[in-house]
Amino acid sequence: MEKSRRKELSYNYVHSHREMGVYRLLNTLNGKSFVGSAMNLNGVWNKHIFTLDLGGHMNKELQNDWKRYGKDAFRYEVLELIKPQEDFVLDASDLEKYKKVLPDLEEKWMEKLSPYGEQGYHKLR
């Protein structure tokens, strides 16, 4: 590949918008949910798969069910996207604006789905 083309692709990737928002991992066999938020929804799903497959996920109950039921028992769902104000995320300050919105959105979905006890993998605080 030409150096100029590679440089263009790299620039476009770095400056492109990645989907941000709130997601859940749903165990389709028992209905339990794990809710989270991320600046890169595709990346966080890959991170979960990687850590769960290695057996080192931070949530031990989710890890146990992953081991017991397997990947096919889980579905990844995007619950809410943050719509960017621009087509391109230009710098770190732009990302900081979006980062501040995520905790409130995640809390909204935690309240809505109540993924605790029999319904989820979260512990009540």
Side-chain angles (χ1 to χ4, degrees):
M1 181 183 302
E2 273 183 43
K3 186 176 181 179
S4 62
R5 177 72 176 136
R6 200 169 52 230
K7 200 173 191 179
E8 176 188 356
L9 291 172
S10 176
Y11 177 86
N12 288 341
Y13 176 76
V14 168
H15 290 88
S16 66
H17 166 70
R18 287 163 190 76
E19 288 191 331
M20 304 172 279
V22 181
Y23 66 91
R24 82 169 164 173
L25 305 179
L26 174 66
N27 183 327
T28 60
L29 299 178
N30 63 18
K32 286 188 171 190
S33 294
F34 179 87
V35 176
S37 61
M39 294 294 294
N40 180 343
L41 290 171
N42 291 330
V44 78
W45 173 228
N46 290 331
K47 179 183 174 183
H48 281 296
I49 291 172
F50 181 77
T51 57
L52 287 162
D53 283 347
L54 285 177
H57 197 274
M58 63 183 174
N59 187 296
K60 298 306 173 198
E61 188 178 355
L62 174 59
Q63 180 66 66
N64 290 338
D65 280 357
W66 184 273
K67 186 176 178 181
R68 180 180 306 127
Y69 302 121
K71 177 183 176 181
D72 292 338
F74 289 85
R75 185 171 65 223
Y76 176 72
E77 300 175 339
V78 175
L79 298 173
E80 187 168 349
L81 289 172
I82 296 174
K83 180 146 176 61
Q85 296 172 351
E86 302 171 5
D87 289 337
F88 290 92
V89 177
L90 299 175
D91 60 29
S93 66
D94 291 329
L95 291 175
E96 288 302 316
K97 288 187 275 186
Y98 295 115
K99 270 185 187 178
K100 291 177 182 177
V101 175
L102 284 176
D104 291 336
L105 285 180
E106 184 176 332
E107 187 59 35
K108 176 182 95 172
W109 282 98
M110 293 291 284
E111 289 175 12
K112 185 174 182 173
L113 297 174
S114 192
Y116 309 102
E118 294 297 316
Q119 296 181 87
Y121 294 104
H122 297 274
K123 305 284 183 227
L124 284 171
R125 298 174 194 159

